Amino acid sequence: MTDLSIVSVETTILDVPLVRPHKFATTSMTAQPLLLVAVRTEGGVTGYGEGVVPGGPWWGGESVETMQAIVEKYLAPVLLGRGVDEITGIMSDIERVVANARFAKAAVDVALHDAWARSLGVPVHTLLGGAFRRGVDVTWALGAAPAEEIIEEALGLVESKRHFSFKLKMGALDPAVDTARVVRIAQALQGKAGVRIDVNARWDRLTALKYVPRLVEGGVELIEQPTPGEQLEVLAELNRLVPVPVMADESVQTPHDALEVARRGAADVIALKTTKCGGLAKSREVVAIAKAAGIACHGATSIEGPIGTAASIHFACAEPGINFGTELFGPLLFSEELLQEPIRYADGQVSLPEGPGLGVELNMDAVKTWTRN
Ligand SMILES: [Mg+2]
């Protein structure tokens, strides 16, 4: 076997343009910053991971700039000289050097998985116990355009069989206006496609108690994180109030967070992002708790580029606990292709990439084009 010792850890920040502005409650982005982490072995194998947050530090306090500093100054020294097959040991040693910073740690965890799998000539899902499915359902995030345009876009995507379920971001507008807009869209798509919403924790309790039931009556099929992440009692109250599933996202970043959500009955579904959980190994711990508690998991995204998305697809295809679909649409939102062969989306699903490691190969010319100067 080739020498698995890590000889270098390199980072590159990219800014990749999007096909349209992607709106969140507090910000809007026209390009997504990505931190590429390349782990190279003595045997000449390079594994890639991606440090990626939704647009900037508003979600969880990390950004590509903080991740670059953490990886280069604090995580790389832990990796150098170790073997890429020592993932458990390395990730556990990293905890002694850096607290939290889970998005940065995820980039390293994925790069190690990619490098180890490539060294063995196997796909990353083999390291996770093997794929038990070859594709997963993908929900599409609709934009912030006027309702008529959104309805037209959604119906077009249903027609072309690319997606059968849609997510709308809320929280940026006045709640009454926001709710009326979403209900209009949900009614227009009723019977044709599912509509779910994500408030990104922006409503307070009283606003949520007033508008969440109206959304559900209007045909919304799933309510994601309407209220602040730490307020689990409020999420539990809403979960008891409405008949459709409530999904926890900001509320769950660690296995212990998942345990608390389970204990309080705060959510029926957990949005599982391999990024926010700190990588593939930690994500399995979160899913294990959800499974034991009868909570479903949705394969969620932090608008990952092709590397992060491929990692999340390998995870979702190897982990039966990801049993509530996914939103692993990241690459479809990018207007520029970073891979030699794009990830395949068709019939409402994304396919598990084939080949060693993550099964995707970067187009280094494209990477160079979008590298931040
Ligand atoms: Mg969310």
Side-chain angles (χ1 to χ4, degrees):
M1 188 152 74
T2 66
D3 190 333
L4 300 178
S5 312
I6 298 166
V7 292
S8 75
V9 178
E10 282 167 18
T11 64
T12 311
I13 292 179
L14 313 181
D15 292 290
V16 190
L18 302 183
V19 292
R20 60 160 163 78
H22 191 65
K23 212 169 161 40
F24 299 98
T26 59
T27 186
S28 180
M29 62 178 190
T30 53
Q32 167 72 319
L34 302 175
L35 179 75
L36 266 190
V37 175
V39 169
R40 206 177 315 273
T41 69
E42 186 71 61
V45 170
T46 302
Y48 288 97
E50 205 180 75
V52 54
V53 299
W58 67 277
W59 196 92
E62 286 182 77
S63 69
V64 285
E65 297 83 7
T66 69
M67 289 187 277
Q68 186 169 46
I70 291 285
V71 171
E72 288 196 351
K73 191 166 163 57
Y74 301 101
L75 304 186
V78 180
L79 270 68
L80 290 172
R82 307 277 288 273
V84 288
D85 59 343
E86 295 175 56
I87 299 179
T88 306
I90 290 172
M91 296 313 289
S92 133
D93 288 347
I94 274 174
E95 287 305 314
R96 289 192 266 164
V97 182
V98 177
N100 303 316
R102 283 177 281 273
F103 286 89
K105 290 170 184 169
V108 167
D109 165 283
V110 169
L112 291 171
H113 278 90
D114 188 32
W116 186 21
R118 282 176 192 275
S119 300
L120 294 169
V122 300
V124 163
H125 64 72
T126 298
L127 303 183
L128 304 174
F132 81 106
R133 56 187 158 205
R134 296 279 158 182
V136 282
D137 291 348
V138 181
T139 293
W140 175 244
L142 293 166
E148 288 313 311
E149 271 174 55
I150 293 295
I151 293 165
E152 199 178 318
E153 180 190 352
L155 291 174
L157 289 167
V158 172
E159 181 83 12
S160 68
K161 295 192 165 70
R162 203 182 82 179
H163 301 284
F164 302 102
S165 155
F166 300 98
K167 165 165 162 173
L168 285 155
K169 289 289 192 183
M170 295 186 76
L173 305 174
D174 170 79
V177 174
D178 217 1
T179 299
R181 171 177 177 271
V182 167
V183 167
R184 175 118 178 269
I185 296 167
Q187 301 272 289
L189 298 180
Q190 199 121 48
K192 301 183 183 91
V195 171
R196 42 188 67 182
I197 59 107
D198 183 3
V199 195
N200 278 117
R202 295 296 138 183
W203 284 350
D204 60 24
R205 174 175 171 268
L206 291 178
T207 305
L209 286 173
K210 183 169 174 181
Y211 291 102
V212 166
R214 291 188 194 179
L215 288 165
V216 173
E217 283 158 27
V220 171
E221 64 174 17
L222 174 128
I223 307 290
E224 180 175 345
Q225 199 74 51
T227 46
E230 68 278 12
Q231 294 178 8
L232 291 184
E233 57 293 322
V234 176
L235 204 60
E237 185 180 5
L238 289 162
N239 198 25
R240 284 191 297 271
L241 183 69
V242 294
V244 305
V246 166
M247 180 154 80
D249 181 5
E250 279 84 343
S251 290
V252 178
Q253 293 170 55
T254 66
H256 189 265
D257 291 342
L259 186 61
E260 278 301 304
V261 161
R263 203 176 260 159
R264 294 163 188 254
D268 301 312
V269 187
I270 287 174
L272 192 291
K273 295 173 179 161
T274 57
T275 51
K276 73 173 180 184
C277 292
L280 307 179
K282 277 283 176 215
S283 295
R284 294 183 94 179
E285 295 178 23
V286 171
V287 176
I289 290 167
K291 278 198 282 197
I295 295 174
C297 287
H298 172 69
T301 184
S302 41
I303 317 298
E304 291 134 37
I307 299 290
T309 299
S312 293
I313 298 169
H314 278 267
F315 183 80
C317 286
E319 174 51 72
I322 302 293
N323 53 4
F324 205 87
T326 79
E327 55 173 7
L328 298 176
F329 58 72
L332 294 174
L333 201 55
F334 288 68
S335 65
E336 303 298 329
E337 182 58 59
L338 295 176
L339 298 179
Q340 295 172 23
E341 281 287 330
I343 290 173
R344 283 185 40 239
Y345 291 87
D347 299 323
Q349 288 214 329
V350 64
S351 304
L352 177 63
E354 302 285 343
L358 292 170
V360 294
E361 304 300 331
L362 286 165
N363 171 346
M364 295 321 279
D365 290 335
V367 168
K368 202 175 282 176
T369 302
W370 302 108
T371 294
R372 186 182 291 183
N373 292 313

